[in-house]
Structure formats: structure tokens, C-alpha cells
């Protein structure tokens, strides 16, 4: 009789409560989670019953979102505040996450991104703000949190970084990207260059991690994608309302689910193959070296000690 009652209770649950990703719950970090695609992704992951780490830059919005996600079924929600246009705050964000007691991160989603029309602003350290937020911040944050991702007990820990079908065909000179005295470029060009940077970051990081195939770091998959042409505030500001509703923007979410676990590390999804610059070893190595110089962190010591 008890078994029959349990069976009835199971099938009596709302269809939306049944999900292959809800058991067991995973710990997932979403940057830029308080608006747009990041918020939609966090909501979907909450409905799957996951533990969520959400980032934003407005505490009141973070508090509201936390309550919303808990009401949707999230196992737990922690909010972290930081302005990613300031590398010092990116460092603080990483320290806050590490010191929060989170033992591991199963999926790190570098979703946060900006578009600054018509003339991009400068970051706290003087770099083009779009480049700083969209590329330098995830480069630094990912390195600091890499040991937590490597500590994941999930079968396929992942780092998902948002690129775009709007990425530039070719990377401009590094001086143009990193010189704090460089004259600001157009908002569209700055955004396209940064999205190419995100794609190249994913490709190179996947290669570095594969070099540690015999360690916990070698299990991590790095994926990137076009999130879709979605009517976010960013799209409307730069291109007009020419996309799908945010409620249908599921590309980021898909890479955080079982679908993403099946994909090859270093690959680009939902928008073509990405720039051919990913095959230019000299160019991507120079870009990586400049990222390390300007952010003050290195990936060369991965696995050098127990802390990664």
C-alpha cells in the first residue's frame, strides 16, 4: 500500500517539477544574473532544483532575484555583488565566493556582458569598459575559481562563456585592445571584439586543461555559444527589437544541462563555427599572455599545488 501511495504521489507532481537535472542538485554560478538572459537562465536552473550562486551589481535586485529563485524551487541561493568593470572587485568577488563555504562549483557561467553605445566608457583600471567586463573579468574570475570547478563531484564540470554570432572576424592589434590611452572605438566594434575574445578564451582554456588530462582539471569542459538574438535591453539599445523574447532564450541554459555535458570541450554552439583566429597559435598565445599581464593572474600554474 505504501509503495502505491508513493507512486501516486510521484505522478501527481506538476510536470514542471520533473527534471533530469534536478537530481542530484548541482552548484551553478551565473554572473550577470539579475537581468536579461542571465536572469532567465537562473530561473530555469532554479526550477531544476539546483544550488545557485548569482552575481549582480545592484544589491536590491539581487535580493529580489534570490527570493524569486527560491520560490521557483532552487535548493539554495547566494547572491554576490561586484562591478566587473573593476578588476579589484572581480578579485573580491572570487574571494567572497571562496570564503562563503562553497566547496565546489559544477558549472561556472560567464554570462555578464555589456554594450556601451555610442562611445564606450573606460573601466576602473583605464581599459575599454566593454573589453574589461566581457573579457578581462571572466579571464580573472575563472582562474580564481578554477580549483572550485576542479573540485566538482559532477560527472562533467563546465565553464560556459557567452560569445556571440556578432563576434569580429579577426582580432585587432593587442595595443588597440589593451592600451589605456587608445581612443575609444564604436560601441558595436568594441562589443564584437570582446565576443571574439570570449570565443578565443574558451578555445585556449580548453587546450590548457586538456594538458592536465591526468588530473581533476582535465575533466573540465569549456563551452561557448551565441546566446541567440534576444530582445534584451542590450540588443534593443544597439540593434533594436529584432529578436526573440527573453523567455525563449535557452541556449545558455542548454549548455548547463545534460546537453552541454555531451559536447566537446572548446566548441562554439548555436551560431556557426566562430572566427578562424582560434587556429592562429601565435595570435591566441599573444592574446593570452597579454591577459595574464594585465589581470595579474596566470594559468601556467594549474595543478602546481593542491589548491590549483
Amino acid at each position: 500500500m505504501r509503495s502505491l501511495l508513493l507512486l501516486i504521489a510521484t505522478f501527481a507532481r506538476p510536470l514542471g517539477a520533473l527534471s533530469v537535472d534536478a537530481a542530484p542538485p548541482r552548484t551553478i554560478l551565473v554572473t550577470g544574473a539579475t537581468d536579461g538572459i542571465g536572469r532567465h537562465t537562473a530561473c530555469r536552473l532554479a526550477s531544476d532544483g539546483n544550488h545557485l550562486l548569482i552575481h549582480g551589481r545592484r544589491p536590491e535586485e539581487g535580493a529580489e532575484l534570490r527570493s524569486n529563485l527560491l520560490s521557483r524551487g532552487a535548493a539554495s541561493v547566494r547572491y554576490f555583488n561586484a562591478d566587473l568593470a573593476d578588476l579589484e572587485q572581480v578579485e573580491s568577488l572570487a574571494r567572497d565566493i571562496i570564503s562563503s563555504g562553497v566547496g565546489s562549483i559544477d558549472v561556472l557561467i560567464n554570462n555578464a556582458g555589456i554594450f556601451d553605445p555610442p562611445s564606450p566608457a573606460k573601466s576602473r583600471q583605464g581599459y575599454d569598459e566593454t573589453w574589461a567586463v566581457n573579457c578581462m573579468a571572466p579571464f580573472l574570475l575563472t582562474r580564481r575559481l578554477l580549483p572550485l570547478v576542479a573540485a566538482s563531484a559532477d560527472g562533467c564540470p563546465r565553464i560556459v562563456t557567452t560569445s556571440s554570432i556578432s563576434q569580429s572576424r579577426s582580432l585587432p592589434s593587442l595595443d588597440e585592445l589593451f592600451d589605456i590611452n587608445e581612443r575609444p572605438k564604436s560601441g558595436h566594434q568594441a562589443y564584437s571584439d570582446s565576443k571574439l575574445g570570449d570565443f578565443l578564451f574558451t578555445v585556449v582554456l580548453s587546450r590548457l586543461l586538456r594538458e592536465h588530462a591526468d588530473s581533476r582539471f582535465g575533466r573540465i569542459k569549456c563551452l561557448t555559444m551565441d546566446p541567440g538574438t534576444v530582445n534584451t535591453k542590450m540588443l534593443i539599445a544597439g540593434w533594436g527589437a529584432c529578436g526573440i523574447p527573453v523567455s525563449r532564450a535557452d541556449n545558455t541554459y542548454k549548455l548547463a544541462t545534460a546537453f552541454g555535458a555531451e559536447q566537446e570541450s572548446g566548441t562554439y554552439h548555436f551560431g556557426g563555427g566562430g572566427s578562424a583566429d582560434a587556429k592562429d597559435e601565435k595570435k591566441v598565445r599573444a592574446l593570452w599572455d597579454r591577459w595574464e599581464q594585465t589581470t595579474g593572474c596566470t594559468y601556467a600554474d594549474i595543478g602546481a599545488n593542491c589548491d590549483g
Side-chain angles (χ1 to χ4, degrees), residues 66 85 164 206 277:
R66 180 178 180 276
S164 173
S206 69
D277 274 359

Side-chain angles (χ1 to χ4, degrees), residues 55-191:
H55 154 267
R57 52 179 176 169
R58 297 181 181 86
E60 64 281 2
E61 293 181 359
E64 181 275 326
L65 178 58
R66 180 178 180 276
S67 297
N68 185 309
L69 297 177
L70 288 171
S71 71
R72 290 173 180 269
S76 66
V77 183
R78 303 187 194 189
Y79 173 74
F80 299 90
N81 200 80
D83 183 352
L84 301 187
D86 183 350
L87 293 178
E88 292 182 2
Q89 291 195 42
V90 177
E91 291 276 20
S92 295
L93 172 61
R95 288 194 298 268
D96 289 346
I97 293 171
I98 293 169
S99 64
S100 71
V102 176
S104 64
I105 295 175
D106 300 311
V107 184
L108 190 171
I109 302 178
N110 289 311
N111 163 80
I114 63 170
F115 168 73
D116 287 332
S119 179
K122 292 286 189 175
S123 74
R124 177 67 177 80
Q125 283 72 34
Y127 301 102
D128 177 283
E129 188 174 49
T130 302
W131 181 255
V133 173
N134 295 6
C135 292
M136 297 175 75
F139 182 91
L140 176 56
L141 183 65
T142 298
R143 178 62 190 97
R144 297 301 185 229
L145 298 181
L146 198 59
L148 290 183
V149 182
S152 168
D154 186 77
C156 184
R158 263 156 287 168
I159 297 167
V160 177
T161 303
T162 301
S163 182
S164 173
I165 198 171
S166 299
Q167 65 180 263
S168 298
R169 290 179 176 273
S170 182
L171 202 67
S173 72
L174 296 185
D175 287 340
E176 183 179 339
L177 293 172
F178 290 97
D179 187 349
I180 60 175
N181 297 313
E182 183 71 19
R183 185 176 62 188
K185 62 185 73 174
S186 73
H188 286 96
Q189 188 62 53
Y191 180 79

